[in-house]
Amino acid sequence: MTVIGHSLKMLQKTCKQLIEKLLSNESYVRNIRRLICLQHKKLHILTYIHNTRTRKPMVATTNQSFTQSSSLVKNENKLDINTSTSSHQSTIFCLSSGKGKCGIAVIRVSGQACRQVLKDMAQFHHMPIPRQAVLRKIVDSGNGVVIDKGLVIFFPGCREAHPGEFTKRAFMNGKLDMTEVEGLGDLIHAETEVQRRQALRQMDGDLSQLYQGWRADIIKCVADLEAFIDFSEDQDIEEHVVESVKSRVGKLRLEISRHLHDNRQGERLRDGVQVVILGEPNVGKSSLMNALSQRPAAIVTDVAGTTRDIIETHLNIAGYPVLLSDTAGLRDTADKVEKEGVIRARKRAEQADVKVVVLDLQQWQNCKNNNRKSSITEFVISQINSLGLQLYQASASSLQILNADLSDSDSTPQLVDEEYCQTIIVLNKLDLVQGNTLEDLKSIDNKVLNCAVGSCLEAQSGRELEPNSPVDFPSVCCVSCTTGEGMQEFLAILESKLKIMCGDPLAGSPSLTQARHRSHLTKCLADLEQFGQMTPADDFVIASEALRRVLREIGKLTGKITTEEILDVIFRDFCIGK
Amino acid sequence: ISGVNYVTLNKTKGPAVWGPRAQIDRDLYKRHMQAEILGTSNLTVTECAVEDLILTESQQSASSITKSICKGVILSTGEMVESKTVVITTGTFLRGCINIGLSVRPAGRIGDEPAIGLARSLEKAGFTMGRLKTGTPPRLDKNTIDYTQCGVTKGDNPPEPFSYLSTDVWIKADEQLDCHITRTSLEIEQIVHDSLPENKHVKEELSGPRYCPSLESKVLKFPGRTHQVWLEPEGFSSDLVYPNGLSCTMPAEYQQRIINLIPGLQRAKIVRPGYGVEYDYIDPRQLRPTLETLPIENLFLAGQINGTTGYEEAAAQGIIAGINAGLKGQNHEPFIVDRTEGYIGVLIDDLTTHGTNEPYRMFPSRAEFRICLRADNADMRLTRKGYKTGCVQRARYESACRMADLLDSNLDLLRSLKLETYKWDELLSRASSRPKGKVKSAVAVLQMVSIDELIKVQQTELGHLQSDRILKKRLEIEALYMLEIEKQQEEISEVRKDELLVLPMDIDYLRMPNNRGLPNDVRLKLAESRPHT
């Protein structure tokens, strides 16, 4: 959402309230089509428009209003010629919100003829009360046809804002810091409800508060150490300063490493969860893809190896953003193209956050018919082994360490830094199994099956189960992509997996949302560790260089830290002088 | 040849922050400096107040920041001195005022007239000016101090000379004068508070240095503490003692009472009371990195007039302004030290881009590349650069080149001297961690052991270093910081790259066409600070 204007506080407040109100009500969001903002050197008008029409016509109306506005601007330019000849005084407009699938459109109009636009397009007879949202019909000034309905807000006494200028000013004036600006950006681009909650929290400064706290800690540490280096000899600065810096650095190390080892929940929620469908050829992977996306995204035939390349689609599942990939069936093949497809599928499987392994129940039925003893667990395990997939990667143990005792600041726990992954095993073609097999299937308790499969896989991976640890077993479910049977259950499982992968953005400490943050914080941590390893015999100055690097990195995260700031702290806390 | 006490500060920390310091005999210094200056050929020395500048209008376009050109100065006698360039170093004299208690006297320093006419001329020429304040402690009579109650600090033995050309200082180690230290007592706080109504200097909202607060502000900001007082001799033949830490501006009778509450000073007599000085400075953002002013071409400023404080800060600017005034007079390229080359660069860059609103003091923490900017390698950083501009004598240059060759060849030798880690451990009889390890060069080993130990175990290769005390020390320091400096190289080259883009000083940022994509606020900022790069 772009907020425009000069009287910063007022605008910020109005618009924030407005936006929050809008976004807190999802059904409302659907109804709002466009937010128009008209602005002037002297006045701004912000409008948003209700529209009950469907998605497609909305795009058309957006375009329509565009052409309308352009014709209007042409008229105004004519008006302008009378008053002014310089180009920057002519009346201009732009679509401030993103193009395409945004639910709201913001259009800003700025220039001398803005009052005229208000009269012509929003049909005001008197100028509206400044900074108050008014619902108006927006009409084509040429023929009087109603284009849309929407809110109009009028901001007098302002000059036109450049794109993002408001945010930039807020940033420059210290009202928002980098993470909050990023949160604002994420909020604009939020496509799902959960994403929005995370972005809003970040914009509200939760993440910023956390980082600002660290920033202040580091400034204090550096200031103390610098004071010790610069002044300890002929001034009154005691040795214990160094000890206290060391212990504070230790605490900071622990906090940052804990923040970093969040299994990338925040980033995943921001960027979308990678869900990859895997399996042998012709088990119904593409059908599952199509069923999930509710459109024929992938070609489905009964020819094995139809899907070659990776097919991707973006989905919103229960508010979580998902990047769903359909892959080529895994098998040995002589076909060059298909071979490449299989390689790509395996590669994609490595990057997956959630693996959906599709198996064909018909095959089990065949197994059973040939060999009566084959249980469903044995079938699943043998299938997965023959696919050659590494499924057991869940690192529940790393989650546990995150909850380790905070007071134990001396030792940084050895955190497991594995990629965290969830698996769902989908037994497809439920509609094609009959008789005994169906009976057998119905009699199996899913939980028991999950445990059985999980412990088998675990035993294979040679990993030891930690007692009482929350274990992430692969979940197994039976579906029919053709009839839709079992799809609800599958979706529920998928949803629970997504929840684990993304976490609850409102619970606990704010999550790390961007790779940028991760990279800076990782560097911070490395340098803090270097400092921590310093022994009294080492050169003080070299140790302090490590801390200075930390300062630069955290500065990149929250805004640059100047030497002046360090000196301010030194002179505030120490009496230095001759 | 004037020092009375030589101490290298921060000796317990890394060599990067060692600070050689010398206390100087005022009389000797004056005598030696005057002899040097008056003995310089082609130099005419006149002692007289300067009232005004000879200015002509600049030929450049009206929009240019440079409005006039300086062609010389007008003396208070009315005499005109014409010149190609002028350097002004007014110290605290520019409209200076002395405050003791409630009395205010116009003066640059006790006993000297302030420069008022010159201040007016600068103001008229369009400089943005500000006002700063500083202070000085009372001077005590050496013979009235009871040193038995004070701590003693002797000079270093051996005292380290500043110059790379000297191997020893001019006096013997035990001939150095001692410094003494004592502390203020808590009782003085009451007197300070009592004196406040009669203390004009402290009450006024002018910027004084934070790092060097007056006794009054120490008591006000950090109550309940005692503060250090260094008793520094002013020279061999002087009876004056400078009580460092007691800078104050209260009326003289309060000063006397405070002094007499300090251990060792119970019977000390004040020879001259402490006082505060207020003076004009020009906003240093109106300077080029050569210290030539933007509004007036050929005019250079250095020292407190640019908002700095301290001897080293003044000297650093003096040399840059002087060199560049000379170069400009001969139409040569300017001489600029950048942030990565020396503290001089940090100082001038900070001043000219950020300005200052308190007397600016150099601290090692201001430098990004502190570990490169060391007292031990100044010749490597700057001597050769200076020689190219002609401000370094041949002898000094050749000595620096010799040292550079020695350092290079010996560092190469150390790098090429490689053994497996365990062999080093064996040789140096250190606890060996692993029987087999990586190969390590002698440079890496030097980061852990002293060079003497290293030479002992590698007599054949390194024996030639044994007798060269200075070279040994320097190699040791180079090796110590090598790793860290490599880490910083990337950052340095980043800074250098940014700085290489030289922006002409007379760009009219405000008139740049709108379509160049520079927003207005950026334009204003640029116009104000006029970055050099």
Side-chain angles (χ1 to χ4, degrees), chain B residues 87-108:
Chain B
V87 183
I88 301 182
T89 59
T90 48
T92 61
F93 279 63
L94 215 54
R95 247 191 305 234
C97 272
I98 285 184
N99 300 326
I100 304 181
L102 289 175
S103 79
V104 181
R105 265 187 295 160

Side-chain angles (χ1 to χ4, degrees), chain A residues 15-30:
Chain A
C15 292
K16 209 172 162 188
Q17 281 170 356
L18 189 78
I19 289 157
E20 269 170 27
K21 196 179 151 199
L22 287 176
L23 293 178
S24 61
N25 187 338
E26 245 194 325
S27 63
Y28 198 47
V29 174
R30 268 184 230 120

Side-chain angles (χ1 to χ4, degrees), chain A residues 432-450:
Chain A
L432 294 181
V433 291
Q434 297 131 6
N436 282 347
T437 318
L438 195 60
E439 296 288 304
D440 284 357
L441 266 182
K442 295 236 159 113
S443 68
I444 294 168
D445 180 357
N446 264 345
K447 271 188 190 156
V448 177
L449 183 60
N450 288 354

Side-chain angles (χ1 to χ4, degrees), chain B residues 164-347:
Chain B
Y164 291 97
L165 294 183
S166 324
T167 46
D168 304 298
V169 301
W170 71 293
I171 48 170
K172 290 194 187 112
D174 56 1
E175 283 173 3
Q176 296 179 86
L177 295 180
D178 295 338
C179 273
H180 294 83
I181 184 171
T182 179
R183 299 189 76 88
T184 61
S185 57
L186 285 176
E187 293 101 81
I188 66 152
E189 291 197 358
Q190 193 50 50
I191 301 178
V192 169
H193 283 289
D194 290 349
S195 76
L196 284 182
E198 292 175 57
N199 199 332
K200 181 176 184 298
H201 194 78
V202 174
K203 273 185 287 181
E204 280 182 354
E205 296 286 311
L206 264 187
S207 313
R210 284 177 303 178
Y211 82 94
C212 203
S214 61
L215 188 60
E216 289 92 334
S217 46
K218 284 187 204 178
V219 167
L220 294 178
K221 281 188 197 144
F222 298 96
R225 296 192 196 179
T226 66
H227 304 279
Q228 288 181 330
V229 179
W230 294 91
L231 301 171
E232 298 169 354
E234 290 216 338
F236 289 111
S237 53
S238 168
D239 277 344
L240 289 187
V241 167
Y242 183 101
N244 199 334
L246 285 184
S247 168
C248 59
T249 60
M250 62 189 75
E253 57 273 21
Y254 288 100
Q255 296 189 17
Q256 185 68 58
R257 277 167 61 197
I258 283 178
I259 295 289
N260 293 144
L261 282 172
I262 296 172
L265 305 180
Q266 287 92 339
R267 294 198 290 170
K269 283 217 169 65
I270 291 181
V271 180
R272 211 168 54 210
Y275 57 88
V277 188
E278 275 178 43
Y279 55 97
D280 277 2
Y281 76 110
I282 66 110
D283 183 343
R285 284 174 294 187
Q286 301 164 90
L287 296 171
R288 295 163 199 262
T290 56
L291 297 181
E292 186 179 1
T293 70
L294 287 168
I296 303 179
E297 201 182 330
N298 294 342
L299 178 68
F300 294 76
L301 304 179
Q304 278 161 309
I305 190 173
N306 292 340
T308 63
T309 179
Y311 293 120
E312 297 89 336
E313 288 79 357
Q317 293 171 69
I319 196 163
I320 293 295
I323 289 170
N324 280 298
L327 290 172
K328 177 125 194 200
Q330 302 167 55
N331 290 324
H332 288 319
E333 285 287 299
F335 176 77
I336 294 166
V337 178
D338 75 30
R339 289 188 83 89
T340 65
E341 287 173 322
Y343 280 101
I344 291 181
V346 177
L347 170 85

Side-chain angles (χ1 to χ4, degrees), chain A residues 70-86:
Chain A
S70 350
S71 70
L72 184 100
V73 169
K74 266 182 224 150
N75 290 337
E76 277 146 19
N77 278 341
K78 274 182 219 149
L79 285 177
D80 260 5
I81 294 165
N82 301 328
T83 52
S84 159
T85 45
S86 80

Side-chain angles (χ1 to χ4, degrees), chain A residues 23 26 186-187 190-202 265-266 268-270 273 316-321 495 498-499 501-507 511 513:
Chain A
L23 293 178
E26 245 194 325
D186 286 353
L187 188 61
E191 287 175 12
T192 76
E193 176 58 19
V194 187
Q195 274 184 324
R196 186 192 65 73
R197 269 188 247 149
Q198 171 165 297
L200 198 62
R201 187 174 181 196
Q202 184 173 333
Q265 288 178 336
R268 231 177 244 130
L269 179 54
R270 181 176 176 272
V273 184
N316 174 350
I317 296 175
Y320 295 100
E495 200 183 313
L498 292 174
K499 209 170 193 170
M501 297 314 279
C502 297
D504 181 352
L506 297 186
S511 1
T513 53

Side-chain angles (χ1 to χ4, degrees), chain A residues 229 232 539 568 576 578, chain B residues 10 13 210-211 244 370 481:
Chain A
I229 288 173
S232 73
D539 189 322
D568 283 345
I576 288 160
K578 298 179 176 180
Chain B
N10 255 343
K13 290 154 208 157
R210 284 177 303 178
Y211 82 94
N244 199 334
R370 179 166 60 191
Y481 288 115

